[in-house]
Each structure stands twice: as C-alpha cells, then as structure tokens.
Amino acid sequence: MATKLKPLRFVRSVLNSFMAESGLEPRLLGPHFRITDAAEGRVDFELDIVKDHTNRLKILHGGTIASLVDLGGSLAVASQGLFATGVSTDLNVSYLGSGGKVGDKITGTAVCDRMGKTLAYTTVSFWDQQRNLVARGSHTKFVALARSGSEPFVPPEGALIVEDDGPLPKP
C-alpha cells in the first residue's frame, strides 16, 4: 500500500511531476521557483527573477505572473491531496505593481478557496521584497476526473517523491 504524505512533501512531489512532464514550467521557471511551505489548502512559494521572466521594460512580465497563477492554482489543488490537479476552466490576473526586476525575489501564496465535486476555486497573491501586494489572480479548475480513484495525499505508483526540507531534484 502506498504511503500517505504530509502536504509539503506531497505538493513538492506534484511540482516535481510538473517539472518532469510539462513543457512550460521547467523552461520558464526551472530552478528559480521553490515551494517554501504548504499546508492543507495553502501553498507558499517564491521565484528568483531572472531575465527570462521579464519584459522589454526589464520588469517582471505579466505572462510570468499569469503562468504562476496557473501553476499556483494547480499546487493549491494539490495541497488538498490531489496528485492530478485537473484542467483550467478560468484564469484571471490583476496587476497592482511591477513585481520586480532581475535579481529580485517575488513571493506568493496560493489558496484553494473551495473544492467541489467538479470544480476547484483558487486564489493566488504575489508580494515584492518590500511585502507590497503586486498582483493577485484566481484560477478555476475542473477536477471531477482528477478526484476519481485516488486517495488523498497518496502519490501514484512510480511518482518521484521529494524530501520535506530538501531541494527539488532536477528532472
């Protein structure tokens, strides 16, 4: 029988799956993105801003934030115990500040506000190094198929499990 994991270890394992299997996240975020904490329903993360994350004004690109809303919403769903995190049905972002430039760090918190039988509703907030709110987003996910047949916080057979406090392995 598979082992039930604590939320932080489980969510980091889901992130590892994104980094190994997805086309976007490893290329856009790679080793610059880290989960710093997770509890049931909440994930805290940070991103070291590098040139690939910026626009021609040399500040954090809105597309990077939108991608982080997408990933953050998925990780918030994972923090409810789902390894498969469903598919997006809606994503919204409000930009409130520049977010930073190369060399800065942006932090974020993703929350699963409600998990229904078919849809999950998440919010993601972002702060700059001075703790100014710079963006917030919402992400709705269709999770009906993701919920079927899985036990909460138990990764599927063959999933690479990461340590609670160690760095993510490279895919």
Side-chain angles (χ1 to χ4, degrees), residues 49-145:
I49 301 171
V50 297
K51 185 179 185 307
D52 290 345
H53 303 140
T54 62
N55 59 25
R56 64 190 180 122
L57 301 176
K58 302 190 185 322
I59 58 173
L60 187 61
H61 195 290
T64 302
I65 290 285
S67 294
L68 287 170
V69 170
D70 186 84
L71 178 60
S74 295
L75 295 174
V77 168
S79 77
Q80 296 284 55
L82 296 183
F83 197 87
T85 58
V87 295
S88 301
T89 63
D90 182 65
L91 190 139
N92 180 57
V93 185
S94 295
Y95 303 98
L96 309 170
S98 73
K101 60 187 181 325
V102 171
D104 290 348
K105 183 183 300 183
I106 190 168
T107 60
T109 297
V111 176
C112 187
D113 301 308
R114 182 167 190 269
M115 175 84 77
K117 290 181 183 177
T118 57
L119 295 175
Y121 302 90
T122 70
T123 54
V124 186
S125 301
F126 300 90
W127 296 271
D128 64 15
Q129 292 181 165
Q130 291 74 43
R131 292 298 293 165
N132 296 309
L133 183 66
V134 295
R136 60 181 172 225
S138 62
H139 187 200
T140 307
K141 302 210 62 168
F142 177 73
V143 294
L145 300 176

